[in-house]
Amino acid sequence: MPAFLVIYLAVNRLVRLTRRDLHTLRAAAWTAFTGTAAGFLDDRTDGASVRRSVASTLPITAVVVSLLFQRYLT
Protein backbone atom coordinates (compact mmCIF):
# COMPACT_ATOMS: atom_id res chain seq x y z
CA MET A 1 0.00 0.00 0.00
CA PRO A 2 2.77 2.55 0.67
CA ALA A 3 4.11 2.03 -2.87
CA PHE A 4 0.67 2.87 -4.28
CA LEU A 5 0.62 6.09 -2.28
CA VAL A 6 4.11 7.03 -3.41
CA ILE A 7 3.18 6.47 -7.07
CA TYR A 8 -0.02 8.50 -6.63
CA LEU A 9 1.90 11.38 -5.06
CA ALA A 10 4.52 11.24 -7.82
CA VAL A 11 1.86 11.42 -10.55
CA ASN A 12 0.07 14.20 -8.70
CA ARG A 13 3.32 16.16 -8.42
CA LEU A 14 4.15 15.57 -12.09
CA VAL A 15 0.76 16.84 -13.19
CA ARG A 16 1.00 19.94 -11.01
CA LEU A 17 4.47 20.81 -12.28
CA THR A 18 3.66 20.51 -15.98
CA ARG A 19 2.69 23.57 -17.96
CA ARG A 20 -0.99 24.18 -18.59
CA ASP A 21 -0.63 23.68 -22.33
CA LEU A 22 0.58 20.09 -21.94
CA HIS A 23 -2.90 18.66 -21.57
CA THR A 24 -2.02 15.41 -23.29
CA LEU A 25 0.75 14.63 -20.82
CA ARG A 26 -1.53 15.28 -17.87
CA ALA A 27 -4.30 13.09 -19.26
CA ALA A 28 -1.83 10.33 -20.17
CA ALA A 29 -0.27 10.33 -16.69
CA TRP A 30 -3.60 10.01 -14.90
CA THR A 31 -4.85 7.44 -17.39
CA ALA A 32 -1.75 5.28 -16.94
CA PHE A 33 -2.08 5.52 -13.18
CA THR A 34 -5.78 4.64 -13.25
CA GLY A 35 -5.27 1.74 -15.63
CA THR A 36 -2.43 0.35 -13.55
CA ALA A 37 -4.38 0.69 -10.32
CA ALA A 38 -7.52 -0.92 -11.76
CA GLY A 39 -5.49 -3.76 -13.27
CA PHE A 40 -3.71 -4.35 -9.98
CA LEU A 41 -6.97 -4.46 -8.06
CA ASP A 42 -8.56 -6.78 -10.60
CA ASP A 43 -5.57 -9.09 -10.50
CA ARG A 44 -5.65 -9.25 -6.72
CA THR A 45 -9.35 -10.12 -6.45
CA ASP A 46 -9.49 -13.66 -7.82
CA GLY A 47 -6.08 -14.48 -9.24
CA ALA A 48 -7.22 -13.98 -12.82
CA SER A 49 -4.95 -14.26 -15.82
CA VAL A 50 -3.18 -11.24 -17.22
CA ARG A 51 -5.34 -11.25 -20.35
CA ARG A 52 -8.56 -11.20 -18.35
CA SER A 53 -7.20 -8.47 -16.10
CA VAL A 54 -6.22 -6.31 -19.07
CA ALA A 55 -9.53 -6.97 -20.84
CA SER A 56 -11.55 -5.91 -17.81
CA THR A 57 -9.37 -2.84 -17.19
CA LEU A 58 -9.47 -1.43 -20.72
CA PRO A 59 -13.10 -0.18 -20.55
CA ILE A 60 -12.36 1.59 -17.26
CA THR A 61 -9.27 3.19 -18.74
CA ALA A 62 -11.17 4.24 -21.87
CA VAL A 63 -13.77 6.04 -19.77
CA VAL A 64 -11.09 7.75 -17.69
CA VAL A 65 -9.14 8.93 -20.74
CA SER A 66 -12.28 10.32 -22.36
CA LEU A 67 -13.24 12.18 -19.18
CA LEU A 68 -9.73 13.56 -18.71
CA PHE A 69 -9.43 14.76 -22.30
CA GLN A 70 -12.83 16.43 -21.93
CA ARG A 71 -11.65 18.11 -18.71
CA TYR A 72 -8.25 19.26 -19.93
CA LEU A 73 -9.16 20.25 -23.50
CA THR A 74 -12.23 22.36 -22.76
Side-chain angles (χ1 to χ4, degrees):
M1 189 63 155
F4 183 77
L5 179 63
V6 169
I7 294 170
Y8 169 76
L9 292 174
V11 170
N12 192 13
R13 183 79 153 170
L14 172 77
V15 168
R16 288 177 187 242
L17 291 177
T18 56
R19 295 189 330 235
R20 294 291 268 167
D21 57 336
L22 296 175
H23 304 298
T24 306
L25 179 64
R26 290 175 168 209
W30 281 120
T31 301
F33 176 75
T34 304
T36 303
F40 174 76
L41 291 175
D42 183 58
D43 183 52
R44 301 295 292 175
T45 54
D46 58 1
S49 69
V50 173
R51 288 183 185 173
R52 183 181 167 276
S53 180
V54 169
S56 64
T57 304
L58 281 177
I60 296 169
T61 307
V63 169
V64 168
V65 76
S66 65
L67 290 173
L68 287 173
F69 273 112
Q70 176 67 25
R71 177 179 180 224
Y72 287 125
L73 294 178
T74 57

